[in-house]
Each structure stands twice: as structure tokens, then as C-alpha cells.
Amino acid sequence: MSLPLLPSFLRTGPLAGPLAAYGLYIVGSALLASNPVVGRAVAHVVPPIGLAFWRWLIAFLIVLPFALPGLLTHRNQLKRQWRRYLLLGVLGQGISGAIVYYGLERTSATNASLIYATSPAMILALAAVWLGDAIRPRQVLGILLAMAGVLVILTRGELEALRHLSFNSGDLLVLTGAVSWSVYTILLRQSGTPLPVVTAFAANAFAGVLVLAPFYAWETVAVRPVPFSVSTILSIVAVALFASVLALLAYQKTIAMMGAARASTALYVSPLWAALASWVLLSEPLQGFHLMGVALVLPGVMLATLQARKPAAEPVTEAA
């Protein structure tokens, strides 16, 4: 896979061989898990819109030196599609960012990570309905299992909650974010002319900053400002660097080394990292309904999204 405009050490160099590929796979899945863990850790300190705003502004500034040539090359295309990028900013950085952080004020990082892990199954279901993609019985079964797992998490494994439709508001907000991310991903698939990975990341991040800016100003004046202390700054930078920039680059490099089908299973491993980190760092207990959710969500998403093994090696290409 060609990854234009990435730092050279992520395109070539000593990272080679199956050991390095699986090492990067493990690191990448842990990076993905850092967002709900850090978001939960600072949930009652940093206001949610402020966290989302500064996360994506810092992420944009980090990748800007690498993305700038592509942004200039494709500036006409970006100008023509500015409305589309603002919509992507609403879905990918607004609802999937700030709304999820609102949810993390009310639910655990483990719950949030497990609910978000169903995104690949949601994307598959949306693509079947929206784009007319073919879907096999095995995938339908996987989607149903994953959704059953979400229901277990939403009800905390209690049938009484389902009978009275009594759900945790934080879980529902995170679920809204997961649905929004799925729609965001479908819209990305519909792009006419694909942009280089880092160029598209920078454009989406900047659009998210523009969308979040007026809401951040309102939150600062009407609710509370971001308390800029050493710990909050480090937390925001950690989310921007680890959960946004490095997670993307590690994921793209893993795809290049292992192929898209195997690399995508990092999304299934991520909740396990989140649960472990939440237990160690946040003292969140691992409860029985979490194990029930894992037993349904992870196999369900794998059934829904893993491709059948091909006899020939999968060609690795990507549009520049």
C-alpha cells in the first residue's frame, strides 16, 4: 500500500517481518484504546467540547508539516467539497468526539470501548442498506451478535432495564457517537477522488476544529473553561498524539504490513486494552455484564467483518 506524505520511517526502514508487524498491531490497538481511557480520566476536569476542540486542533498542527504539500496540491478539490468536509467534521469530530466525551462523564471507559467496538458491524449494516452492498448470512449473524452484546452493556445485563427501557444516558451518548462514526466512514467511502491518507486526515481534523469552535466558545463562556494546568495539557496532548495521530499512522502501517483484513482486527483487541487500562489506572471494576458483552461483541464483529481467506496473496494498493 502506498502511504504518500507519511514520515519516511513509517514507509520504509527497519520495520519488517512478522514479528515487527504483530508488534505494531499490538501497539496500534493499545493506542486506539487510549481515547476512552483518557477521556474518562479527565471527564470531570476538562469540559467535553473543549477536550474535543483541543484534541483535533493539536492533531491537525502535528500532521500539518506532512500534510501541507497534499493540502496545497488538492486545494481546488477541497474548496469544491467544503460542505462535505464540514459535514464530516460534524459527524467525525463533533458527534463522535464531543458527544462521546459527554457520555464518558456518565459511563465507564470499558463500556464506551465495547460499544464503540461494534462500529465495524454497524458500518457493514449501513453499507448494505445505504449503498446496496451484498451481505452474507454469516455477516448478518455477526451483526445480530454484536448488537446483542451492546444490549447487554446498555442494560448492565439486567432484563428489568430492558422491560422499562431504563438505560444509562452515558452509554446512549457513546452509542450515538458510534453510529455517527459509522455514517462518517460510509461518507468517506463515497468520496469521488481519494486523497492521500495524511492529507485527508488533516482536512477532516481542520473541518472538525471549525465545527467545534463556536460550541467551544459557548462552553467556555456559559459552562466552564478548560483549566489549563500541566496535567490537563498533558492529557489533551496525549489524546491528540496517541489516540489520533499515532493510532492512525500505526493502523495504516499495519495495513501495509499485514493486509487490511487482518489489520482491521485491531479494533476488536482495543476494548481488551481499554478494560485493562481502566482497571489499573481508573480502578474501574470488570463486571459480569462486561464479560457477557465481550463474549457477544467481539465474535460478532469478527464474524461480520473478517474476510474469507483467499488462496492468493492479497494485492496491496491504495490511490494516492
PDB file of all heavy atoms in Angstrom, residues 121 124 135-149 296-297 299-305:
ATOM      1  N   ALA A 121     -19.395  -3.521  12.535  1.00  0.00           N
ATOM      2  CA  ALA A 121     -20.640  -4.209  12.200  1.00  0.00           C
ATOM      3  C   ALA A 121     -21.712  -3.210  11.774  1.00  0.00           C
ATOM      4  O   ALA A 121     -22.498  -3.470  10.855  1.00  0.00           O
ATOM      5  CB  ALA A 121     -21.123  -5.037  13.391  1.00  0.00           C
ATOM      6  N   LEU A 124     -21.023  -2.153   8.246  1.00  0.00           N
ATOM      7  CA  LEU A 124     -21.430  -3.196   7.306  1.00  0.00           C
ATOM      8  C   LEU A 124     -22.941  -3.149   7.077  1.00  0.00           C
ATOM      9  O   LEU A 124     -23.416  -3.219   5.934  1.00  0.00           O
ATOM     10  CB  LEU A 124     -21.018  -4.563   7.850  1.00  0.00           C
ATOM     11  CG  LEU A 124     -21.172  -5.746   6.902  1.00  0.00           C
ATOM     12  CD1 LEU A 124     -20.148  -5.689   5.798  1.00  0.00           C
ATOM     13  CD2 LEU A 124     -21.034  -7.044   7.683  1.00  0.00           C
ATOM     14  N   ILE A 135     -24.544  -8.725   1.453  1.00  0.00           N
ATOM     15  CA  ILE A 135     -24.272  -9.161   2.818  1.00  0.00           C
ATOM     16  C   ILE A 135     -24.636 -10.639   2.942  1.00  0.00           C
ATOM     17  O   ILE A 135     -25.699 -11.065   2.496  1.00  0.00           O
ATOM     18  CB  ILE A 135     -25.061  -8.287   3.822  1.00  0.00           C
ATOM     19  CG1 ILE A 135     -24.675  -8.647   5.262  1.00  0.00           C
ATOM     20  CG2 ILE A 135     -26.552  -8.379   3.616  1.00  0.00           C
ATOM     21  CD1 ILE A 135     -25.177  -7.636   6.276  1.00  0.00           C
ATOM     22  N   ARG A 136     -23.739 -11.430   3.532  1.00  0.00           N
ATOM     23  CA  ARG A 136     -23.917 -12.870   3.626  1.00  0.00           C
ATOM     24  C   ARG A 136     -24.569 -13.254   4.954  1.00  0.00           C
ATOM     25  O   ARG A 136     -24.525 -12.482   5.922  1.00  0.00           O
ATOM     26  CB  ARG A 136     -22.563 -13.564   3.477  1.00  0.00           C
ATOM     27  CG  ARG A 136     -21.922 -13.361   2.108  1.00  0.00           C
ATOM     28  CD  ARG A 136     -20.689 -14.235   1.936  1.00  0.00           C
ATOM     29  NE  ARG A 136     -19.605 -13.816   2.815  1.00  0.00           N
ATOM     30  CZ  ARG A 136     -18.709 -12.884   2.507  1.00  0.00           C
ATOM     31  NH1 ARG A 136     -18.801 -12.247   1.340  1.00  0.00           N
ATOM     32  NH2 ARG A 136     -17.748 -12.571   3.345  1.00  0.00           N
ATOM     33  N   PRO A 137     -25.153 -14.440   5.026  1.00  0.00           N
ATOM     34  CA  PRO A 137     -25.789 -14.882   6.281  1.00  0.00           C
ATOM     35  C   PRO A 137     -24.832 -14.842   7.470  1.00  0.00           C
ATOM     36  O   PRO A 137     -25.234 -14.488   8.583  1.00  0.00           O
ATOM     37  CB  PRO A 137     -26.230 -16.315   5.967  1.00  0.00           C
ATOM     38  CG  PRO A 137     -26.452 -16.314   4.483  1.00  0.00           C
ATOM     39  CD  PRO A 137     -25.409 -15.399   3.922  1.00  0.00           C
ATOM     40  N   ARG A 138     -23.568 -15.229   7.251  1.00  0.00           N
ATOM     41  CA  ARG A 138     -22.586 -15.177   8.337  1.00  0.00           C
ATOM     42  C   ARG A 138     -22.450 -13.753   8.876  1.00  0.00           C
ATOM     43  O   ARG A 138     -22.331 -13.535  10.101  1.00  0.00           O
ATOM     44  CB  ARG A 138     -21.229 -15.674   7.833  1.00  0.00           C
ATOM     45  CG  ARG A 138     -20.085 -15.448   8.815  1.00  0.00           C
ATOM     46  CD  ARG A 138     -18.771 -15.983   8.272  1.00  0.00           C
ATOM     47  NE  ARG A 138     -18.349 -15.328   7.043  1.00  0.00           N
ATOM     48  CZ  ARG A 138     -17.667 -14.173   7.017  1.00  0.00           C
ATOM     49  NH1 ARG A 138     -17.375 -13.542   8.142  1.00  0.00           N
ATOM     50  NH2 ARG A 138     -17.289 -13.650   5.870  1.00  0.00           N
ATOM     51  N   GLN A 139     -22.479 -12.759   7.988  1.00  0.00           N
ATOM     52  CA  GLN A 139     -22.340 -11.377   8.413  1.00  0.00           C
ATOM     53  C   GLN A 139     -23.581 -10.901   9.159  1.00  0.00           C
ATOM     54  O   GLN A 139     -23.477 -10.153  10.132  1.00  0.00           O
ATOM     55  CB  GLN A 139     -22.070 -10.495   7.192  1.00  0.00           C
ATOM     56  CG  GLN A 139     -20.731 -10.808   6.529  1.00  0.00           C
ATOM     57  CD  GLN A 139     -20.558 -10.054   5.221  1.00  0.00           C
ATOM     58  OE1 GLN A 139     -21.437 -10.068   4.356  1.00  0.00           O
ATOM     59  NE2 GLN A 139     -19.429  -9.373   5.079  1.00  0.00           N
ATOM     60  N   VAL A 140     -24.755 -11.337   8.715  1.00  0.00           N
ATOM     61  CA  VAL A 140     -25.991 -10.991   9.425  1.00  0.00           C
ATOM     62  C   VAL A 140     -25.941 -11.536  10.844  1.00  0.00           C
ATOM     63  O   VAL A 140     -26.292 -10.843  11.822  1.00  0.00           O
ATOM     64  CB  VAL A 140     -27.223 -11.531   8.670  1.00  0.00           C
ATOM     65  CG1 VAL A 140     -28.486 -11.326   9.501  1.00  0.00           C
ATOM     66  CG2 VAL A 140     -27.362 -10.859   7.309  1.00  0.00           C
ATOM     67  N   LEU A 141     -25.505 -12.784  10.980  1.00  0.00           N
ATOM     68  CA  LEU A 141     -25.373 -13.387  12.306  1.00  0.00           C
ATOM     69  C   LEU A 141     -24.406 -12.577  13.170  1.00  0.00           C
ATOM     70  O   LEU A 141     -24.666 -12.326  14.353  1.00  0.00           O
ATOM     71  CB  LEU A 141     -24.891 -14.829  12.179  1.00  0.00           C
ATOM     72  CG  LEU A 141     -24.586 -15.563  13.490  1.00  0.00           C
ATOM     73  CD1 LEU A 141     -25.850 -15.649  14.360  1.00  0.00           C
ATOM     74  CD2 LEU A 141     -24.025 -16.965  13.215  1.00  0.00           C
ATOM     75  N   GLY A 142     -23.290 -12.164  12.578  1.00  0.00           N
ATOM     76  CA  GLY A 142     -22.310 -11.370  13.321  1.00  0.00           C
ATOM     77  C   GLY A 142     -22.879 -10.047  13.783  1.00  0.00           C
ATOM     78  O   GLY A 142     -22.654  -9.625  14.928  1.00  0.00           O
ATOM     79  N   ILE A 143     -23.615  -9.364  12.913  1.00  0.00           N
ATOM     80  CA  ILE A 143     -24.233  -8.087  13.286  1.00  0.00           C
ATOM     81  C   ILE A 143     -25.212  -8.284  14.436  1.00  0.00           C
ATOM     82  O   ILE A 143     -25.233  -7.509  15.400  1.00  0.00           O
ATOM     83  CB  ILE A 143     -24.938  -7.464  12.063  1.00  0.00           C
ATOM     84  CG1 ILE A 143     -23.895  -7.029  11.020  1.00  0.00           C
ATOM     85  CG2 ILE A 143     -25.791  -6.271  12.478  1.00  0.00           C
ATOM     86  CD1 ILE A 143     -24.497  -6.618   9.695  1.00  0.00           C
ATOM     87  N   LEU A 144     -26.031  -9.352  14.365  1.00  0.00           N
ATOM     88  CA  LEU A 144     -27.003  -9.616  15.421  1.00  0.00           C
ATOM     89  C   LEU A 144     -26.316  -9.920  16.751  1.00  0.00           C
ATOM     90  O   LEU A 144     -26.757  -9.457  17.817  1.00  0.00           O
ATOM     91  CB  LEU A 144     -27.911 -10.782  15.015  1.00  0.00           C
ATOM     92  CG  LEU A 144     -28.856 -10.511  13.831  1.00  0.00           C
ATOM     93  CD1 LEU A 144     -29.624 -11.775  13.466  1.00  0.00           C
ATOM     94  CD2 LEU A 144     -29.815  -9.374  14.165  1.00  0.00           C
ATOM     95  N   LEU A 145     -25.220 -10.681  16.703  1.00  0.00           N
ATOM     96  CA  LEU A 145     -24.466 -10.965  17.927  1.00  0.00           C
ATOM     97  C   LEU A 145     -23.885  -9.690  18.527  1.00  0.00           C
ATOM     98  O   LEU A 145     -23.955  -9.463  19.745  1.00  0.00           O
ATOM     99  CB  LEU A 145     -23.341 -11.962  17.636  1.00  0.00           C
ATOM    100  CG  LEU A 145     -23.715 -13.439  17.535  1.00  0.00           C
ATOM    101  CD1 LEU A 145     -22.498 -14.253  17.116  1.00  0.00           C
ATOM    102  CD2 LEU A 145     -24.257 -13.947  18.868  1.00  0.00           C
ATOM    103  N   ALA A 146     -23.290  -8.842  17.676  1.00  0.00           N
ATOM    104  CA  ALA A 146     -22.687  -7.600  18.155  1.00  0.00           C
ATOM    105  C   ALA A 146     -23.740  -6.688  18.767  1.00  0.00           C
ATOM    106  O   ALA A 146     -23.524  -6.086  19.834  1.00  0.00           O
ATOM    107  CB  ALA A 146     -21.973  -6.887  17.004  1.00  0.00           C
ATOM    108  N   MET A 147     -24.897  -6.577  18.127  1.00  0.00           N
ATOM    109  CA  MET A 147     -25.960  -5.737  18.668  1.00  0.00           C
ATOM    110  C   MET A 147     -26.513  -6.313  19.978  1.00  0.00           C
ATOM    111  O   MET A 147     -26.884  -5.569  20.885  1.00  0.00           O
ATOM    112  CB  MET A 147     -27.079  -5.581  17.644  1.00  0.00           C
ATOM    113  CG  MET A 147     -26.693  -4.816  16.381  1.00  0.00           C
ATOM    114  SD  MET A 147     -26.033  -3.154  16.729  1.00  0.00           S
ATOM    115  CE  MET A 147     -24.270  -3.406  16.464  1.00  0.00           C
ATOM    116  N   ALA A 148     -26.554  -7.643  20.077  1.00  0.00           N
ATOM    117  CA  ALA A 148     -26.968  -8.272  21.336  1.00  0.00           C
ATOM    118  C   ALA A 148     -25.978  -7.921  22.444  1.00  0.00           C
ATOM    119  O   ALA A 148     -26.374  -7.675  23.597  1.00  0.00           O
ATOM    120  CB  ALA A 148     -27.077  -9.782  21.164  1.00  0.00           C
ATOM    121  N   GLY A 149     -24.696  -7.888  22.105  1.00  0.00           N
ATOM    122  CA  GLY A 149     -23.684  -7.501  23.084  1.00  0.00           C
ATOM    123  C   GLY A 149     -23.866  -6.069  23.555  1.00  0.00           C
ATOM    124  O   GLY A 149     -23.715  -5.765  24.746  1.00  0.00           O
ATOM    125  N   LEU A 296     -20.123 -11.546  23.240  1.00  0.00           N
ATOM    126  CA  LEU A 296     -21.040 -11.347  22.117  1.00  0.00           C
ATOM    127  C   LEU A 296     -20.477 -10.363  21.087  1.00  0.00           C
ATOM    128  O   LEU A 296     -20.533 -10.605  19.879  1.00  0.00           O
ATOM    129  CB  LEU A 296     -22.388 -10.841  22.632  1.00  0.00           C
ATOM    130  CG  LEU A 296     -23.231 -11.832  23.438  1.00  0.00           C
ATOM    131  CD1 LEU A 296     -24.373 -11.113  24.135  1.00  0.00           C
ATOM    132  CD2 LEU A 296     -23.768 -12.929  22.528  1.00  0.00           C
ATOM    133  N   VAL A 297     -19.934  -9.238  21.559  1.00  0.00           N
ATOM    134  CA  VAL A 297     -19.499  -8.173  20.646  1.00  0.00           C
ATOM    135  C   VAL A 297     -18.313  -8.606  19.787  1.00  0.00           C
ATOM    136  O   VAL A 297     -18.339  -8.492  18.552  1.00  0.00           O
ATOM    137  CB  VAL A 297     -19.144  -6.893  21.437  1.00  0.00           C
ATOM    138  CG1 VAL A 297     -18.415  -5.891  20.532  1.00  0.00           C
ATOM    139  CG2 VAL A 297     -20.403  -6.258  22.004  1.00  0.00           C
ATOM    140  N   PRO A 299     -16.785 -11.669  19.006  1.00  0.00           N
ATOM    141  CA  PRO A 299     -17.037 -12.680  17.963  1.00  0.00           C
ATOM    142  C   PRO A 299     -18.024 -12.189  16.914  1.00  0.00           C
ATOM    143  O   PRO A 299     -17.888 -12.515  15.728  1.00  0.00           O
ATOM    144  CB  PRO A 299     -17.618 -13.866  18.754  1.00  0.00           C
ATOM    145  CG  PRO A 299     -17.177 -13.662  20.150  1.00  0.00           C
ATOM    146  CD  PRO A 299     -17.132 -12.185  20.343  1.00  0.00           C
ATOM    147  N   GLY A 300     -19.021 -11.401  17.333  1.00  0.00           N
ATOM    148  CA  GLY A 300     -19.999 -10.898  16.372  1.00  0.00           C
ATOM    149  C   GLY A 300     -19.367 -10.001  15.327  1.00  0.00           C
ATOM    150  O   GLY A 300     -19.611 -10.150  14.123  1.00  0.00           O
ATOM    151  N   VAL A 301     -18.527  -9.074  15.784  1.00  0.00           N
ATOM    152  CA  VAL A 301     -17.876  -8.165  14.833  1.00  0.00           C
ATOM    153  C   VAL A 301     -16.909  -8.930  13.939  1.00  0.00           C
ATOM    154  O   VAL A 301     -16.800  -8.652  12.741  1.00  0.00           O
ATOM    155  CB  VAL A 301     -17.150  -7.026  15.588  1.00  0.00           C
ATOM    156  CG1 VAL A 301     -16.380  -6.142  14.622  1.00  0.00           C
ATOM    157  CG2 VAL A 301     -18.151  -6.176  16.354  1.00  0.00           C
ATOM    158  N   MET A 302     -16.221  -9.913  14.502  1.00  0.00           N
ATOM    159  CA  MET A 302     -15.304 -10.710  13.676  1.00  0.00           C
ATOM    160  C   MET A 302     -16.070 -11.505  12.622  1.00  0.00           C
ATOM    161  O   MET A 302     -15.660 -11.557  11.458  1.00  0.00           O
ATOM    162  CB  MET A 302     -14.478 -11.640  14.565  1.00  0.00           C
ATOM    163  CG  MET A 302     -13.490 -10.918  15.453  1.00  0.00           C
ATOM    164  SD  MET A 302     -12.501 -12.025  16.490  1.00  0.00           S
ATOM    165  CE  MET A 302     -11.438 -12.780  15.272  1.00  0.00           C
ATOM    166  N   LEU A 303     -17.179 -12.111  13.005  1.00  0.00           N
ATOM    167  CA  LEU A 303     -17.997 -12.842  12.030  1.00  0.00           C
ATOM    168  C   LEU A 303     -18.493 -11.912  10.929  1.00  0.00           C
ATOM    169  O   LEU A 303     -18.557 -12.283   9.758  1.00  0.00           O
ATOM    170  CB  LEU A 303     -19.208 -13.470  12.724  1.00  0.00           C
ATOM    171  CG  LEU A 303     -19.067 -14.865  13.321  1.00  0.00           C
ATOM    172  CD1 LEU A 303     -20.355 -15.235  14.048  1.00  0.00           C
ATOM    173  CD2 LEU A 303     -18.761 -15.893  12.237  1.00  0.00           C
ATOM    174  N   ALA A 304     -18.857 -10.686  11.310  1.00  0.00           N
ATOM    175  CA  ALA A 304     -19.442  -9.753  10.354  1.00  0.00           C
ATOM    176  C   ALA A 304     -18.425  -9.194   9.382  1.00  0.00           C
ATOM    177  O   ALA A 304     -18.755  -8.924   8.217  1.00  0.00           O
ATOM    178  CB  ALA A 304     -20.128  -8.611  11.097  1.00  0.00           C
ATOM    179  N   THR A 305     -17.189  -9.008   9.825  1.00  0.00           N
ATOM    180  CA  THR A 305     -16.258  -8.211   9.016  1.00  0.00           C
ATOM    181  C   THR A 305     -15.044  -8.959   8.485  1.00  0.00           C
ATOM    182  O   THR A 305     -14.449  -8.509   7.508  1.00  0.00           O
ATOM    183  CB  THR A 305     -15.751  -7.004   9.832  1.00  0.00           C
ATOM    184  OG1 THR A 305     -15.085  -7.478  11.017  1.00  0.00           O
ATOM    185  CG2 THR A 305     -16.905  -6.105  10.239  1.00  0.00           C
TER     186      THR A 305
END
